[in-house]
Amino acid sequence: LRAASQTSEDVLQIEKALVEGAQSQIVIPLMVREVLVGVLDVQSAKADTFEDWSVAAILQILANQIAVSVQNARRFRTAQFGVEDVSELYRSSYPITQAQSEEEVITAIRQVFARSPYLSFYLVAEGNGLRLQVGFDPLGQEEGAFPERVAVPIRDLEDYLTSGPFMADGPRLQALPYELVRLLRRFDIFSAAMLPVRWQDEIMAVMIVGTRETRPLSESSVQPYLILSNLVADTLTRIGEERRTRRRMIEMGILARAGQECLTIREPE
């Protein structure tokens, strides 16, 4: 983030002003999990517009939201599956990108899975295992039929997910950790794909898609769920960053009020 109170004095100023007679400017990188997707350039005809820390904080939250939207649009544009699939996935996943809390993300994932033709699981790393937060069976089994926990530490899955999604069918599924194999057997899953939901370099959740059919899942059938797992990761990252920004805004507000109070204190006469 870079702010300038007098754009004429800033050597990094963008030459062509967006606002005629611009006197102040702030440039915020649009980042999605350490990937630069663009910049947000805001200019004002008034000097010192962006000296107020609260204005910069609000623009940072806006920049985070724009960055995720740009990244999502790029994913859909480069997706290698049909237009109808893209449209359906976009409609289904839109609530995820708009979520403002982890609970809203879970609700949105549940809605997406409800439209899926596959058995779908969303498991979050918790302690020495995985906690099932969303489970869907197209045959109509209620979520109460799913186990609440799977005793598989997330570190035991890292080797399978180092290069992205892990796809397997039939005997190859037996290579997975035993408790995860038990989960798949419980629902007679023949072919499955396991997709990581990462934050920085750490896996914070796993999305599993499976089918009972003896025909293995194809890469094209799994790709929408790969995009979905990335959307979830981007959204959770944005929520975390916005929470930290709001916390800083509160802290700065408290400090500002304390400073004002200190200025009003007078020495006893």
Side-chain angles (χ1 to χ4, degrees):
L1 181 151
R2 184 176 179 86
S5 299
Q6 297 291 336
T7 57
S8 59
E9 299 175 359
D10 188 355
V11 295
L12 294 181
Q13 165 194 1
I14 295 178
E15 293 183 4
K16 185 176 181 181
L18 302 176
V19 176
E20 184 177 355
Q23 294 297 310
S24 58
Q25 177 185 37
I26 187 169
V27 180
I28 306 174
L30 303 180
M31 305 289 294
V32 179
R33 291 189 286 165
E34 301 183 355
V35 176
L36 179 67
V37 299
V39 295
L40 174 64
D41 177 23
V42 184
Q43 300 177 17
S44 173
K46 297 180 179 180
D48 303 324
T49 298
F50 307 110
E51 291 299 302
D52 186 342
W53 57 268
S54 62
V55 173
I58 291 171
L59 289 174
Q60 181 64 68
I61 292 175
L62 176 62
N64 292 340
Q65 295 174 341
I66 293 174
V68 171
S69 297
V70 170
Q71 185 77 324
N72 293 346
R74 289 179 177 177
R75 288 198 178 105
F76 284 116
R77 188 173 64 244
T78 58
Q80 300 298 313
F81 46 94
V83 175
E84 291 184 3
D85 293 330
V86 173
S87 299
E88 176 59 29
L89 178 61
Y90 182 82
R91 286 193 297 270
S92 301
S93 60
Y94 181 75
I96 292 177
T97 65
Q98 300 302 302
Q100 297 300 315
S101 67
E102 289 85 350
E103 292 75 16
E104 290 183 11
V105 171
I106 295 302
T107 298
I109 291 174
R110 185 174 287 110
Q111 293 171 352
V112 174
F113 282 3
R115 298 182 177 94
S116 171
Y118 304 113
L119 285 131
S120 308
F121 308 90
Y122 181 73
L123 304 108
V124 176
E126 184 180 79
N128 291 322
L130 298 169
R131 178 164 56 89
L132 182 73
Q133 289 201 319
V134 184
F136 172 75
D137 184 349
L139 292 185
Q141 292 198 56
E142 298 294 331
E143 282 199 15
F146 295 87
E148 293 184 3
R149 287 184 58 83
V150 179
V152 179
I154 200 70
R155 62 178 178 273
D156 290 353
L157 301 179
E158 291 176 353
D159 290 341
Y160 299 96
L161 301 170
T162 52
S163 58
F166 173 82
M167 298 177 62
D169 57 81
R172 286 196 62 209
L173 287 178
Q174 309 309 312
L176 292 170
Y178 176 69
E179 290 298 326
L180 200 55
V181 172
R182 283 187 61 190
L183 173 66
L184 301 179
R185 285 178 178 172
R186 180 172 181 171
F187 295 94
D188 299 320
I189 292 175
F190 173 81
S191 177
M194 184 165 57
L195 307 103
V197 176
R198 295 183 181 276
W199 184 76
Q200 295 182 348
D201 293 329
E202 296 185 5
I203 300 174
M204 53 183 164
V206 174
M207 196 173 291
I208 299 177
V209 180
T211 178
R212 296 181 174 93
E213 297 180 5
T214 54
R215 182 176 60 186
L217 290 172
S218 64
E219 290 187 7
S220 60
S221 64
V222 171
Q223 190 176 22
Y225 298 91
L226 175 58
I227 291 179
L228 181 64
S229 66
N230 286 324
L231 293 182
V232 171
D234 291 347
T235 300
L236 291 175
T237 300
R238 171 183 60 78
I239 289 171
E241 290 174 351
E242 290 179 1
R243 183 175 292 129
R244 286 190 291 273
T245 299
R246 290 191 178 95
R247 187 182 301 121
R248 185 168 180 271
M249 289 175 67
I250 293 172
E251 293 171 351
M252 293 296 290
I254 293 172
L255 289 174
R257 288 194 296 273
Q260 291 295 326
E261 291 177 3
C262 289
L263 291 175
T264 61
I265 296 176
R266 297 181 179 179
E267 293 184 5
E269 297 180 355

